[in-house]
Amino acid sequence: MIKLKNFIVINLFLIIILVSTKSFSENHNVLEVLELIQKDLKTLEKAVYSGSLNDNLNDSISSNSTMDQNTEDVLTRHLLKLTEIENQFQELTNKFERINFKIDKLSNRLSKVQADNQIRFQELENNSIISTDENRKITSLPKEETKKVLPGSSEPQDLGSISYKDTETNLLTQQTQSIESTGTIVTETFESEEKLLPDVSPEKQYEFALSFMNVGDYYTSERAFREFVNINPEHKLAGNAQYWYAETFRIRQLYTDAASAYLEGYQKYPKGEKAPINLLRLGVSLVQMGEKDQGCLMITGVKKQYPKANQSVLQKAQYEEKKFDCKKENS
């Protein structure tokens, strides 16, 4: 643009010089020359104006092109952001589905535990009803005996009471029950309602019992491990089965049953694979039952009796020892 203006100025200067020389030679053509100059100036002005318009158009086109590029960059960034948000939303959906699946499993386990507790409560209620009926039969007396008089008074006895005369006997030796009758009471054992383990190798039976633990069916697992220990008391997996049998009680917070099962495992299988953790669980169960002194002795005795045990078990014993302040109790 600047070069074009300089070119126009130079041309005007040359034209003026030419006109001046011609004015000296031809004075009568001065007006015609001036008219020609005006026309040339107008033509140059139009050219300059059109060139400036073109420059303005080029500037606007270049600015529009830069704006288009900026717009494309912004759109690209937004598309990338939307893709990232979509991926995050998909991950959240997957997590939500996994959490729902875990909640369903927990609800199923909870329903099984509730059913197990309901069966146990019904058994306890039935046993209590039977015991109360037996006590009523023992303590109840015929109607004619209720009219006996207390010794030293003329008032009648209370219903169901026995006077000292009822305890009198003319025998010189005390009668005892026969050995056969007492033996039937002492040697009476509990028989399971049905056999649970399949007729396969002990290893397969152990895996079968452990499968119920993995799915949260602790009541069935309890029965399976108890049956395994009764059938295979000398097997190398018997100590492990006894430990898992006790674990079924601990998980259900039946600490008294758990402590007795852990104690049985500690006494029968002191050198088994699960012996260190069995002793630790025994101590924790005793503390939770209120026997803190005995429990702390068991917890602190894990490192003394099993110094080569797994590090995770020793660290767990150290943690429980600090948790229950066992050192303060023993000091």
Side-chain angles (χ1 to χ4, degrees):
M1 186 70 185
I2 297 172
K3 290 180 179 180
L4 182 61
K5 290 180 179 180
N6 292 329
F7 178 75
I8 294 168
V9 172
I10 292 169
N11 289 328
L12 290 172
F13 183 73
L14 291 174
I15 291 168
I16 293 169
I17 293 172
L18 291 172
V19 170
S20 61
T21 54
K22 288 181 179 181
S23 61
F24 288 106
S25 61
E26 298 177 354
N27 291 323
H28 62 277
N29 294 327
V30 171
L31 295 175
E32 295 178 356
V33 172
L34 288 173
E35 290 177 358
L36 292 172
I37 291 170
Q38 288 178 355
K39 291 180 180 179
D40 292 334
L41 285 174
K42 289 180 179 179
T43 304
L44 289 173
E45 286 178 357
K46 290 180 179 179
V48 171
Y49 182 74
S50 62
S52 63
L53 285 176
N54 291 329
D55 292 336
N56 291 328
L57 288 173
N58 292 329
D59 293 337
S60 63
I61 291 169
S62 62
S63 62
N64 289 330
S65 63
T66 54
M67 288 178 66
D68 291 337
Q69 291 179 357
N70 292 330
T71 305
E72 289 179 358
D73 294 337
V74 171
L75 288 174
T76 304
R77 286 197 299 270
H78 283 302
L79 288 174
L80 293 174
K81 192 67 176 178
L82 287 173
T83 305
E84 184 179 356
I85 292 171
E86 184 178 0
N87 294 330
Q88 291 178 357
F89 183 75
Q90 188 174 2
E91 290 179 0
L92 290 174
T93 304
N94 294 333
K95 290 181 180 180
F96 180 74
E97 290 178 354
R98 288 196 294 269
I99 290 170
N100 279 337
F101 178 72
K102 291 181 180 180
I103 290 172
D104 291 337
K105 288 181 68 177
L106 288 175
S107 63
N108 291 331
R109 292 182 182 180
L110 181 60
S111 62
K112 289 180 181 178
V113 171
Q114 289 176 350
D116 181 20
N117 291 332
Q118 186 175 2
I119 292 172
R120 288 177 176 270
F121 289 146
Q122 288 178 356
E123 291 177 355
L124 290 174
E125 289 177 357
N126 294 332
N127 292 332
S128 63
I129 291 171
I130 293 171
S131 62
T132 52
D133 291 339
E134 290 179 353
N135 291 330
R136 288 176 181 175
K137 290 179 181 178
I138 293 171
T139 56
S140 62
L141 292 174
K143 292 183 178 180
E144 58 268 13
E145 292 183 358
T146 58
K147 296 180 180 179
K148 292 184 179 180
V149 181
L150 291 170
S153 67
S154 60
E155 295 181 357
Q157 296 180 352
D158 293 334
L159 181 63
S161 61
I162 303 174
S163 66
Y164 75 97
K165 291 183 180 180
D166 296 329
T167 60
E168 292 181 353
T169 180
N170 294 325
L171 297 176
L172 297 176
T173 60
Q174 184 179 3
Q175 292 181 348
T176 58
Q177 294 180 343
S178 63
I179 296 174
E180 290 80 5
S181 62
T182 56
T184 57
I185 298 173
V186 174
T187 59
E188 183 180 2
T189 57
F190 175 79
E191 295 182 359
S192 179
E193 59 273 9
E194 62 179 0
K195 186 178 179 181
L196 188 61
L197 295 178
D199 293 331
V200 292
S201 63
E203 288 79 8
K204 295 291 184 181
Q205 290 178 346
Y206 179 81
E207 293 178 359
F208 179 77
L210 192 60
S211 65
F212 293 105
M213 285 286 291
N214 295 330
V215 298
D217 191 356
Y218 303 116
Y219 177 71
T220 307
S221 181
E222 170 201 342
R223 291 174 51 203
F225 280 120
R226 181 179 60 193
E227 184 178 346
F228 181 89
V229 174
N230 293 332
I231 297 173
N232 309 294
E234 301 299 329
H235 195 269
K236 62 180 180 180
L237 293 174
N240 292 16
Q242 180 67 33
Y243 167 76
W244 289 116
Y245 170 67
E247 281 287 283
T248 60
F249 296 112
R250 183 189 67 83
I251 294 172
R252 290 176 289 173
Q253 298 182 355
L254 304 173
Y255 297 117
T256 303
D257 295 333
S260 62
Y262 286 128
L263 180 61
E264 185 178 358
Y266 174 69
Q267 293 173 347
K268 288 184 177 180
Y269 311 102
K271 296 182 180 180
E273 180 183 357
K274 296 289 186 180
I277 187 65
N278 186 84
L279 181 60
L280 176 61
R281 297 293 192 195
L282 173 60
V284 174
S285 299
L286 289 173
V287 173
Q288 289 170 338
M289 288 169 55
E291 300 292 336
K292 187 174 181 180
D293 295 337
Q294 295 295 329
C296 285
L297 288 175
M298 298 295 178
I299 294 171
T300 55
V302 173
K303 187 175 181 180
K304 296 177 182 178
Q305 295 189 28
Y306 304 101
K308 296 182 180 180
N310 194 346
Q311 288 297 321
S312 62
V313 178
L314 296 177
Q315 291 175 359
K316 181 67 175 176
Q318 187 177 3
Y319 170 76
E320 298 292 348
E321 186 178 348
K322 292 180 180 179
K323 178 181 177 181
F324 297 122
D325 295 331
C326 290
K327 290 184 178 180
K328 294 181 180 180
E329 294 292 332
N330 294 331
S331 61

